[in-house]
Amino acid sequence: MSETCSPEPAVRLRLRSRIVPVLFALATGILLRFVVGLEPVPYLAWVVPALLLWGVLQAEGIPWRLLVIATCLIGYQANAVYYLRVMPMAIACTVVAGQSLLWLFVLAETRRVVLRVRRPWTMLAYPVFWVAVDTLLANFAPDGNWASLAYTQADFLPLIQTASLFGVSGVLFLLCLASSAIAVSLVLGLRGRENRIMLAGTMVLIAAALVFGTIRLQSPPAAKRIPIGIASIDDAIGLQAQAPYIARIQAAYDAQLAALASAGARLVLLPEKIAVVSAADAPAWRERFAASALRHRISILVGIGVQHKDGIANDAWLFSPDGSLDAVYQKQILAPPERAGYLAGHKSIARDIEGTRFGIAICKDMHFATLGRTYGELHPAAMLVPAWDFSLDGWMGARMTALRGIENGFTVVRAAREGLLTVTDAYGRIVAEADSKALPGQRLWMSVPVDPQLPKLYTRIGNCLGWLCVAIGAYLMWFSRTKPKAMAA
């Protein structure tokens, strides 16, 4: 009787060993979609990575690498439509695969350190590896650390004040440390003095960051204010646009400028590339906006693409109230669709408007903390940022730009087509926000707080924490490979 029944438990175990990892990857992958998507759910970014790390550390006798890849591929499908909109399918697939491999690398290295050493301090490995990877991406990848988990916390204001000290790396380290503390403690056990010390230290560190952020957010709004208007029309003017179509959009912008000037705006910000024009037509466009600035006695910043013989310059033109062209800024960091045929600029610009120092950047420029810090060293009270998003990434583009303001202590005024019109202060607080619209467009007027730049530790020291994690991460990789296996528990 026992011989005929004995195979049944074995069958159940085999089924369990095959089905459980599949169900785990499916469930975790679905949850991960709400972490790595373009409008993430902040609290899930604390929980889902902890769940995935726990699964990787617990896995025995199953292909845990495949579990990670499957989970990440399911998660990053949340951005598939967006990727296909901004890049060819082959590149989009490569990006998703690359993001999945980054997770695999971080989790694999963390697993190696934790399971070989089996000491509570190894909960530091996971945040160290993620911050190291994030730092290298920010400095060497064409799109920087665009998908950083740190940006999932962009609306969690007490936490992201840490960026004023250590940049995005500080936010990411705290976020990943919390996930790691949960997972590693569950795997190694909650008992033991050392483990209690590490858990207590983690809680104290996160609590201290939240207290610091909460206190910082008690700062009153800036005393000095400048009436600023933002106008955006989603409809684009390309090189082949017909005259009647161009005239409708020009008339709509004229109406927006007139309305904002009548409301009291002293400065009006328009989006990136409201038109792409030939070099021969550019003077007529300059004259048109110069006349508007003079007629309404306002400053105007407008984004225009100008086709030259060797490519298109993505410019922002600043006009003074007397109608003169005060500055021409050329976008320095190009978006994926611009990398063929567009020319990158190399100069950061700041100008005094209404007695206040303003920096000028365009869209993707402000996705890079290094360029944000360059502007911080120019001491602007505020940044003017014409932008053109891709609808789906409007929230992400606006929040990444707001982080630059926290890092360097300046207000950010951003006008996007197919995105959001936003004003955020030096603490990342949203002062005003509205969705862009097609003809006749959207406008936003308000008295913007623009006190002098608040000097920040990050502006002075840069991403020291990130590069420290790169060095420590490299050491941990060496250490985990040279530590004798006999010493591992």
Side-chain angles (χ1 to χ4, degrees), residues 301-359:
L301 182 67
V302 55
I304 299 287
V306 181
Q307 186 179 48
H308 301 283
K309 291 182 179 180
D310 51 348
I312 300 174
N314 189 341
D315 291 340
W317 297 343
L318 176 64
F319 295 91
S320 298
D322 61 4
S324 62
L325 181 62
D326 186 38
V328 176
Y329 172 79
Q330 187 174 344
K331 186 176 183 180
Q332 299 184 57
I333 302 174
L334 303 178
E338 298 172 322
R339 289 171 191 159
Y342 277 77
L343 306 170
H346 303 285
K347 185 178 181 182
S348 301
I349 291 179
R351 290 289 186 273
D352 290 337
I353 305 172
E354 297 292 317
T356 296
R357 190 90 170 150
F358 284 87

XYZ file of all heavy atoms in Angstrom, residues 301-359:
447
model
N 10.171 83.902 -23.167
C 11.103 82.819 -23.498
C 10.345 81.795 -24.314
O 9.345 81.235 -23.846
C 11.684 82.174 -22.240
C 12.713 81.070 -22.502
C 13.985 81.640 -23.129
C 13.068 80.319 -21.224
N 10.821 81.526 -25.534
C 10.106 80.629 -26.443
C 11.075 79.639 -27.071
O 12.205 79.992 -27.428
C 9.364 81.439 -27.543
C 10.318 82.365 -28.286
C 8.642 80.509 -28.519
N 10.646 78.384 -27.206
C 11.467 77.359 -27.830
C 11.204 77.258 -29.327
O 10.058 77.119 -29.755
N 12.273 77.336 -30.124
C 12.181 77.269 -31.585
C 13.297 76.365 -32.106
O 14.449 76.471 -31.669
C 12.337 78.661 -32.234
C 11.229 79.615 -31.775
C 12.350 78.545 -33.756
C 9.868 79.334 -32.372
N 12.973 75.478 -33.040
C 13.988 74.690 -33.726
C 14.380 75.366 -35.023
O 13.502 75.748 -35.804
N 15.671 75.543 -35.254
C 16.146 76.222 -36.459
C 17.022 75.264 -37.255
O 18.031 74.760 -36.741
C 16.934 77.504 -36.109
C 17.391 78.197 -37.393
C 16.091 78.445 -35.251
N 16.636 75.035 -38.506
C 17.397 74.120 -39.356
C 18.564 74.853 -40.009
O 18.378 75.816 -40.751
C 16.508 73.507 -40.432
C 17.232 72.445 -41.250
C 16.351 71.814 -42.302
O 15.676 72.516 -43.055
N 16.350 70.495 -42.368
N 19.754 74.367 -39.711
C 20.970 74.886 -40.350
C 21.495 73.844 -41.334
O 20.936 72.749 -41.449
C 22.018 75.196 -39.279
C 21.564 76.197 -38.258
N 21.510 77.547 -38.498
C 21.128 76.020 -36.972
C 21.074 78.172 -37.412
N 20.833 77.265 -36.477
N 22.568 74.156 -42.004
C 23.113 73.231 -42.999
C 23.551 71.904 -42.385
O 23.381 70.841 -42.987
C 24.303 73.883 -43.717
C 23.912 75.045 -44.633
C 25.140 75.610 -45.335
C 24.748 76.760 -46.258
N 25.937 77.339 -46.956
N 24.092 71.960 -41.176
C 24.637 70.744 -40.569
C 23.691 70.102 -39.554
O 24.057 69.130 -38.892
C 25.974 71.043 -39.891
C 25.893 72.238 -38.950
O 24.886 72.958 -38.984
O 26.848 72.432 -38.168
N 22.479 70.633 -39.399
C 21.515 70.032 -38.483
C 20.576 71.074 -37.898
O 20.630 72.261 -38.253
N 19.723 70.617 -36.994
C 18.728 71.494 -36.377
C 19.183 71.862 -34.974
O 19.560 70.988 -34.190
C 17.351 70.812 -36.317
C 16.867 70.471 -37.729
C 16.324 71.705 -35.614
C 15.587 69.658 -37.759
N 19.143 73.148 -34.671
C 19.451 73.625 -33.322
C 18.141 73.775 -32.555
O 17.217 74.440 -33.020
C 20.183 74.957 -33.389
N 18.063 73.133 -31.404
C 16.889 73.243 -30.540
C 17.139 74.407 -29.584
O 17.811 74.260 -28.575
C 16.677 71.930 -29.777
C 15.360 71.892 -29.036
O 14.739 72.919 -28.788
N 14.924 70.697 -28.672
N 16.595 75.587 -29.928
C 16.920 76.817 -29.231
C 15.807 77.284 -28.310
O 14.632 76.920 -28.481
C 17.205 77.940 -30.234
C 18.497 77.728 -31.010
O 19.360 76.953 -30.541
O 18.642 78.352 -32.079
N 16.183 78.124 -27.355
C 15.231 78.907 -26.569
C 15.640 80.368 -26.713
O 16.787 80.723 -26.412
C 15.243 78.483 -25.110
N 14.715 81.202 -27.190
C 14.993 82.623 -27.406
C 14.399 83.427 -26.260
O 13.210 83.289 -25.949
C 14.383 83.110 -28.711
C 14.920 82.459 -29.947
C 16.072 81.746 -30.077
C 14.307 82.465 -31.237
N 16.235 81.316 -31.364
C 15.164 81.742 -32.115
C 13.142 83.011 -31.763
C 14.864 81.556 -33.469
C 12.837 82.840 -33.112
C 13.700 82.110 -33.957
N 15.202 84.277 -25.649
C 14.723 85.144 -24.576
C 14.649 86.573 -25.097
O 15.660 87.149 -25.508
C 15.663 85.073 -23.365
C 15.324 86.026 -22.204
C 13.960 85.681 -21.595
C 16.420 85.988 -21.143
N 13.441 87.155 -25.053
C 13.219 88.536 -25.502
C 12.945 89.425 -24.291
O 12.196 89.052 -23.374
C 12.037 88.606 -26.470
C 12.266 87.864 -27.752
C 11.885 86.534 -27.868
C 12.874 88.488 -28.833
C 12.104 85.837 -29.051
C 13.095 87.791 -30.020
C 12.713 86.465 -30.123
N 13.541 90.610 -24.293
C 13.339 91.580 -23.231
C 12.111 92.439 -23.520
O 11.626 92.480 -24.662
C 14.569 92.482 -23.103
O 15.705 91.715 -22.750
N 11.602 93.144 -22.509
C 10.422 93.996 -22.732
C 10.633 95.089 -23.771
O 9.653 95.615 -24.315
C 10.174 94.609 -21.343
C 10.743 93.608 -20.383
C 11.952 93.053 -21.083
N 11.885 95.418 -24.066
C 12.131 96.433 -25.098
C 12.187 95.817 -26.499
O 12.479 96.505 -27.484
C 13.417 97.198 -24.814
C 14.654 96.310 -24.807
O 14.534 95.096 -25.095
O 15.762 96.814 -24.500
N 11.929 94.505 -26.597
C 11.890 93.847 -27.900
C 13.225 93.290 -28.355
O 13.308 92.676 -29.426
N 14.273 93.453 -27.569
C 15.585 92.945 -27.975
C 15.722 91.459 -27.633
O 15.093 90.963 -26.694
C 16.706 93.739 -27.297
O 16.631 93.584 -25.890
N 16.531 90.754 -28.441
C 16.839 89.349 -28.182
C 17.977 89.299 -27.173
O 19.126 89.577 -27.501
C 17.231 88.656 -29.490
C 17.552 87.158 -29.383
C 16.343 86.353 -28.910
C 18.039 86.626 -30.734
N 17.652 88.927 -25.922
C 18.622 89.000 -24.838
C 19.517 87.773 -24.772
O 20.671 87.863 -24.347
C 17.875 89.179 -23.516
C 18.815 89.418 -22.352
O 19.826 90.111 -22.537
O 18.548 88.907 -21.254
N 19.015 86.593 -25.174
C 19.815 85.367 -25.074
C 19.262 84.315 -26.006
O 18.054 84.261 -26.275
C 19.819 84.841 -23.641
N 20.149 83.466 -26.499
C 19.776 82.276 -27.265
C 20.444 81.087 -26.603
O 21.679 81.007 -26.547
C 20.217 82.372 -28.742
C 19.883 81.066 -29.469
C 19.548 83.550 -29.427
N 19.641 80.199 -26.066
C 20.159 78.992 -25.417
C 19.905 77.795 -26.328
O 18.814 77.656 -26.894
C 19.472 78.764 -24.077
C 19.826 77.425 -23.453
C 21.036 77.242 -22.793
C 18.968 76.329 -23.569
C 21.375 76.021 -22.245
C 19.299 75.097 -23.019
C 20.496 74.947 -22.363
O 20.836 73.727 -21.833
N 20.903 76.922 -26.487
C 20.769 75.721 -27.313
C 20.771 74.483 -26.425
O 21.668 74.304 -25.590
C 21.907 75.633 -28.326
C 21.740 74.503 -29.338
C 22.810 74.550 -30.414
O 23.491 75.547 -30.598
N 22.958 73.446 -31.135
N 19.769 73.655 -26.563
C 19.612 72.448 -25.749
C 20.884 71.617 -25.772
O 21.449 71.324 -26.829
C 18.432 71.632 -26.275
C 18.049 70.426 -25.439
C 16.803 69.761 -26.022
C 16.323 68.593 -25.186
N 15.111 67.955 -25.783
N 21.318 71.178 -24.586
C 22.593 70.473 -24.476
C 22.457 68.950 -24.525
O 23.351 68.262 -25.014
C 23.295 70.875 -23.172
C 23.622 72.372 -23.095
C 24.396 72.726 -21.853
O 25.475 72.185 -21.590
N 23.866 73.647 -21.062
N 21.366 68.421 -23.995
C 21.190 66.968 -23.935
C 19.966 66.593 -24.763
O 18.843 67.007 -24.451
C 21.044 66.488 -22.481
C 22.285 66.902 -21.679
C 20.856 64.981 -22.438
C 22.196 66.598 -20.198
N 20.182 65.836 -25.799
C 19.125 65.554 -26.771
C 18.311 64.325 -26.382
O 18.840 63.334 -25.879
C 19.731 65.350 -28.163
C 20.581 66.521 -28.692
C 21.172 66.180 -30.045
C 19.761 67.811 -28.768
N 17.012 64.391 -26.642
C 16.114 63.261 -26.423
C 16.315 62.233 -27.535
O 16.869 62.555 -28.596
C 14.666 63.742 -26.395
N 15.881 60.980 -27.333
C 16.104 59.932 -28.346
C 15.696 60.320 -29.774
O 16.485 60.108 -30.704
C 15.285 58.753 -27.806
C 15.330 58.923 -26.331
C 15.280 60.417 -26.099
N 14.514 60.930 -30.005
C 14.160 61.263 -31.391
C 15.033 62.349 -32.006
O 15.025 62.528 -33.230
C 12.699 61.744 -31.271
C 12.199 61.187 -29.985
C 13.392 61.188 -29.084
N 15.789 63.083 -31.180
C 16.599 64.188 -31.680
C 18.036 63.786 -32.007
O 18.779 64.586 -32.587
C 16.652 65.316 -30.637
C 15.315 65.941 -30.315
C 15.394 66.905 -29.147
O 16.138 66.611 -28.181
O 14.726 67.950 -29.209
N 18.422 62.582 -31.632
C 19.838 62.235 -31.712
C 20.328 62.037 -33.139
O 21.532 61.916 -33.374
C 20.121 61.003 -30.847
C 20.039 61.351 -29.370
C 20.087 60.180 -28.455
N 19.733 60.604 -27.094
C 19.303 59.814 -26.144
N 19.189 58.503 -26.381
N 18.981 60.282 -24.965
N 19.417 61.978 -34.062
C 19.785 61.961 -35.478
C 19.258 63.250 -36.103
O 18.052 63.443 -36.214
C 19.202 60.739 -36.184
N 20.152 64.152 -36.459
C 19.741 65.361 -37.157
C 19.731 66.630 -36.327
O 19.552 67.712 -36.874
N 19.910 66.520 -35.004
C 19.920 67.712 -34.163
C 21.329 67.997 -33.650
O 22.166 67.098 -33.529
C 18.963 67.556 -32.974
C 17.524 67.890 -33.328
C 16.756 66.987 -34.048
C 16.956 69.109 -32.959
C 15.443 67.280 -34.386
C 15.643 69.408 -33.291
C 14.888 68.492 -34.000
O 13.589 68.789 -34.343
N 21.566 69.267 -33.321
C 22.866 69.712 -32.840
C 22.776 69.995 -31.348
O 21.850 70.675 -30.893
C 23.286 70.994 -33.568
C 23.290 70.923 -35.104
C 23.478 72.320 -35.687
C 24.388 69.985 -35.584
N 23.722 69.492 -30.577
C 23.729 69.722 -29.132
C 24.499 70.986 -28.796
O 25.555 71.259 -29.373
C 24.351 68.529 -28.413
N 23.956 71.760 -27.861
C 24.649 72.943 -27.380
C 25.647 72.578 -26.288
O 25.682 71.440 -25.808
N 26.428 73.562 -25.863
C 27.476 73.276 -24.869
C 27.623 74.386 -23.831
O 28.584 74.377 -23.071
C 28.823 73.086 -25.580
C 28.805 72.017 -26.622
N 28.816 70.673 -26.314
C 28.748 72.102 -27.984
C 28.775 69.963 -27.435
N 28.744 70.802 -28.457
N 26.655 75.302 -23.771
C 26.811 76.448 -22.884
C 25.568 76.635 -22.029
O 24.449 76.671 -22.549
C 27.082 77.716 -23.692
C 27.379 78.940 -22.836
C 27.690 80.141 -23.713
C 28.005 81.376 -22.852
N 28.270 82.574 -23.692
N 25.759 76.745 -20.716
C 24.659 77.044 -19.803
C 24.514 78.560 -19.685
O 25.505 79.295 -19.712
C 24.937 76.435 -18.420
O 25.094 75.027 -18.531
N 23.265 79.009 -19.555
C 22.992 80.449 -19.588
C 22.110 80.853 -18.410
O 21.148 80.162 -18.069
C 22.289 80.842 -20.910
C 23.262 80.705 -22.088
C 21.739 82.263 -20.848
C 22.654 81.047 -23.421
N 22.433 81.970 -17.798
C 21.582 82.590 -16.783
C 21.491 84.084 -17.082
O 22.467 84.693 -17.534
C 22.137 82.355 -15.388
N 20.293 84.664 -16.857
C 20.070 86.074 -17.129
C 19.248 86.699 -16.004
O 18.459 86.020 -15.349
C 19.318 86.264 -18.455
C 20.126 85.930 -19.694
C 21.209 86.970 -19.950
N 21.900 86.748 -21.207
C 22.951 85.950 -21.370
N 23.433 85.278 -20.329
N 23.524 85.819 -22.549
N 19.414 88.018 -15.822
C 18.601 88.751 -14.860
C 17.328 89.246 -15.545
O 17.395 89.922 -16.586
C 19.381 89.946 -14.306
C 20.521 89.521 -13.385
O 20.442 88.394 -12.834
O 21.484 90.288 -13.237
N 16.187 88.866 -14.965
C 14.882 89.294 -15.465
C 14.110 89.849 -14.278
O 13.971 89.178 -13.250
C 14.103 88.124 -16.096
C 14.923 87.443 -17.202
C 12.762 88.601 -16.638
C 14.289 86.168 -17.733
N 13.611 91.062 -14.415
C 12.863 91.703 -13.328
C 13.661 91.694 -12.022
O 13.119 91.518 -10.933
C 11.516 90.998 -13.125
C 10.568 91.070 -14.308
C 10.052 92.482 -14.551
O 9.713 93.156 -13.555
O 9.983 92.904 -15.715
N 14.982 91.869 -12.148
C 15.826 91.941 -10.973
C 16.106 90.603 -10.311
O 16.638 90.565 -9.195
N 15.788 89.511 -10.976
C 15.981 88.170 -10.422
C 16.772 87.328 -11.410
O 16.567 87.409 -12.629
C 14.620 87.498 -10.137
O 13.941 88.262 -9.133
C 14.799 86.080 -9.649
N 17.655 86.488 -10.892
C 18.512 85.636 -11.724
C 17.738 84.393 -12.152
O 17.255 83.629 -11.310
C 19.740 85.222 -10.919
C 20.824 84.539 -11.735
C 21.767 85.553 -12.266
N 22.950 84.970 -12.849
C 23.603 85.553 -13.854
N 23.174 86.689 -14.345
N 24.690 85.007 -14.347
N 17.620 84.177 -13.460
C 16.951 83.005 -14.022
C 17.938 82.200 -14.873
O 18.696 82.757 -15.660
C 15.775 83.413 -14.930
C 14.554 83.869 -14.194
C 14.407 85.195 -13.809
C 13.529 82.974 -13.895
C 13.276 85.624 -13.137
C 12.393 83.389 -13.218
C 12.260 84.716 -12.837
N 17.922 80.880 -14.713
C 18.659 79.995 -15.608
C 17.729 79.504 -16.702
O 16.499 79.476 -16.530
